[in-house]
Amino acid sequence: MQIEEFIQAIKADHQEPLCAFIYDLNRLRDHAQHVIAQLPERCRFFYAIKANSEQPILRALAPLVHGFEVASIGEIAKVRAVSATTPIIFGGPGKTDAELRSALQQCVSLIHVESIHELRRLQSIAADLDTVAPVLLRVNLRGPLPTATLQMAGTPTQFGIDEALLPEAIVEAQRSPQIDLQGFHLHSLSNNLNADEHVRLIAHYIDRVHGWAQEFGLRVRVLNVGGGIGVNYAQLDQQFDWQRFTTQLGALLEHDDRAREWRLIFECGRFVTAACGWYAAEVLDIKRNHGTDFVIVRGGTQHFRLPVSWQHNHPFVVVPIEEWRYRFTRPALQDAAITITGQLCTPKDVFVRGAQVPRVRAGDVVLFVYAGAYGWSISHHDFLSHPHPEQIFIGDV
Ligand SMILES: *Cc1c(COP(=O)(O)O)cnc(C)c1O
């Protein structure tokens, strides 16, 4: 069944206006399988669960991915609730002693260390527990790097160790019997849409890491190239060309002897779950204020903050619902440029401004597409205390 028909079918069972996140788990599995199957040998694919950590999503992905990337103890617990054995990578720009200790006790596969102070604290905690911490140093590379929507490195951010301070961190890690320095972590940007640039970025990473390996006599085993594969919200038919990317990456790894001994880890979030999710919100009202046509839906950006966070018009379709329960005229617009808002009492509660639609009526459902990543998970759910959306999982749950 197509998603539009599914919405029409569930609408018929709903007394109250519809407001739901819908996830298609079969679509998620097919996509993840396809993505992982195309990766060159020596690559490992982890899912960064902050993009969407709903339990059915994690359960669907656990048998397919090589592991999960997490950034809190809460996220470790979410992963362990679906799998006792899936490998976990633990990162994040600020970690407490208790979090480092807990990550070691729970035997995470790798810890991303983001500062020299953190490295020292990890050493003493590992000594305390009489263990050795498996570590990648997260490096904030000197720019310039390719541009994308969000930039974590090559520019001042809180992430990683400034490349200028890296020698000190490497020497410190090498000296410590409590630290097993396996390599480096270089998640530098998010939402990159260009496959060729992403290959160039990884080639650049290999150059840098090889340089450090030579300089410090390091045996690198792991290069974590991060996530950051993008989703094109503005032009849905022009998505990141994963096949082109993996083909070029395969050629690069084939010919570049320097990386022969390394495992390359990907830890993608957005690219994994964005397309399998929708946010469906029924039109409550339509009005024209000061020359602008507003469509007000059940719900709001407290459920789906992504368009506000990115200041973009989120892509959507209008699903027609024929049922109309009132005896008076149904508010409707034809061939109109609409602004879609939610129920919040703030003018910032906007999903879309000035988008052209052939028709929209009160009682139709606005279906936001590519809502499966950084949708519900990044939103401030209880602002204004409206009910939460339903979470509906379709496919083999
Ligand atoms: C958020 C994050 C990811 C996932 O990023 P996407 O852009 O969703 O692929 C990967 N690694 C780290 C360290 C992150 O913080």
Side-chain angles (χ1 to χ4, degrees):
M1 189 167 18
Q2 291 301 311
I3 184 75
E4 284 87 349
E5 291 163 32
F6 178 77
I7 300 283
Q8 285 163 335
I10 58 171
K11 235 326 270 176
D13 306 332
H14 277 66
Q15 285 301 310
E16 286 301 303
L18 182 66
C19 181
F21 275 95
I22 302 160
Y23 303 103
D24 182 341
L25 297 176
N26 289 351
R27 185 175 171 141
L28 173 66
R29 287 189 189 92
D30 288 350
H31 175 62
Q33 255 158 357
H34 171 80
V35 161
I36 294 165
Q38 289 185 47
L39 274 178
E41 236 187 296
R42 284 183 284 134
C43 292
R44 299 289 179 272
F45 194 88
F46 282 63
Y47 171 56
I49 81 163
K50 76 174 186 284
N52 184 330
S53 58
E54 295 298 314
Q55 195 170 99
I57 300 271
L58 299 185
R59 216 182 299 120
L61 288 172
L64 305 177
V65 297
H66 295 102
F68 292 111
E69 188 265 350
V70 307
S72 69
I73 299 304
E75 286 192 337
I76 293 181
K78 283 183 172 180
V79 171
R80 284 296 168 242
V82 304
S83 165
T85 52
T86 306
I88 293 177
I89 300 177
F90 180 65
K95 306 180 191 75
T96 67
D97 286 357
E99 286 165 342
L100 290 170
R101 176 180 294 271
S102 174
L104 284 175
Q105 284 167 331
Q106 300 192 60
C107 299
V108 301
S109 305
L110 284 168
I111 297 179
H112 292 153
V113 169
E114 303 226 9
S115 80
I116 291 174
H117 179 56
E118 186 175 289
L119 182 65
R120 291 180 180 146
R121 288 191 293 122
L122 182 60
Q123 276 176 55
S124 63
I125 294 163
D128 228 31
L129 296 174
D130 196 18
T131 188
V132 176
V135 164
L136 301 184
L137 294 176
R138 181 171 185 180
V139 186
N140 194 322
L141 288 176
R142 269 181 220 112
L145 299 170
T147 52
T149 313
L150 297 178
Q151 192 105 19
M152 285 78 169
T155 176
T157 67
Q158 67 270 50
F159 302 110
I161 300 167
D162 190 306
E163 195 174 344
L165 296 175
L166 187 61
E168 192 184 334
I170 293 176
V171 168
E172 179 111 15
Q174 281 177 313
R175 262 208 306 257
S176 169
Q178 249 62 57
I179 301 291
D180 174 22
L181 178 58
Q182 301 194 6
F184 299 92
H185 173 229
L186 295 159
H187 177 69
S188 305
L189 43 78
S190 188
N191 212 43
N192 192 12
L193 295 172
N194 187 311
D196 296 0
E197 268 187 25
H198 216 78
V199 176
R200 276 197 290 278
L201 180 69
I202 291 176
H204 179 64
Y205 289 169
I206 292 175
D207 281 347
R208 308 300 304 132
V209 171
H210 180 69
W212 303 327
Q214 294 267 293
E215 190 177 342
F216 296 95
L218 267 177
R219 199 182 133 240
V220 171
R221 281 157 284 158
V222 180
L223 165 56
N224 185 331
V225 299
I229 308 296
V231 164
N232 194 341
Y233 298 100
Q235 286 171 291
L236 299 182
D237 57 349
Q238 289 179 35
Q239 295 302 333
F240 186 96
D241 190 341
W242 184 251
Q243 174 137 28
R244 183 180 173 92
F245 170 69
T246 50
T247 304
Q248 290 186 25
L249 180 66
L252 174 74
L253 294 178
E254 177 102 354
H255 295 116
D256 197 329
D257 271 346
R258 300 173 304 171
R260 199 161 297 288
E261 306 276 291
W262 309 353
R263 256 182 301 135
L264 239 63
I265 293 181
F266 287 82
E267 44 175 27
C268 295
R270 186 184 315 277
F271 186 60
V272 180
T273 50
C276 80
W278 296 266
Y279 178 54
E282 182 168 331
V283 177
L284 298 178
D285 210 341
I286 295 182
K287 65 171 84 163
R288 189 172 177 85
N289 274 355
H290 301 289
T292 296
D293 286 318
F294 288 92
V295 168
I296 300 162
V297 298
R298 174 68 162 154
T301 56
Q302 80 277 25
H303 299 163
F304 184 49
R305 193 170 74 86
L306 179 63
V308 176
S309 160
W310 281 30
Q311 295 288 298
H312 76 190
N313 269 3
H314 202 85
F316 68 97
V317 292
V318 176
V319 180
I321 303 295
E322 291 319 319
E323 189 206 337
W324 179 247
R325 66 175 81 168
Y326 304 103
R327 299 177 63 184
F328 38 83
T329 314
R330 187 170 183 178
L333 293 167
Q334 306 266 1
D335 293 321
I338 61 170
T339 293
I340 306 175
T341 75
Q343 296 179 281
L344 298 183
C345 306
T346 158
K348 294 190 190 295
D349 186 25
V350 175
F351 298 105
V352 166
R353 283 181 206 280
Q356 197 68 31
V357 291
R359 183 182 72 175
V360 59
R361 303 166 297 181
D364 286 342
V365 171
V366 174
L367 184 65
F368 293 99
V369 301
Y370 286 92
Y374 302 114
W376 177 246
S377 72
I378 63 160
S379 301
H380 37 62
H381 306 153
D382 291 317
F383 183 42
L384 259 95
S385 304
H386 282 293
H388 289 180
E390 286 176 73
Q391 303 276 351
I392 300 172
F393 296 90
I394 59 179
D396 303 315
V397 177

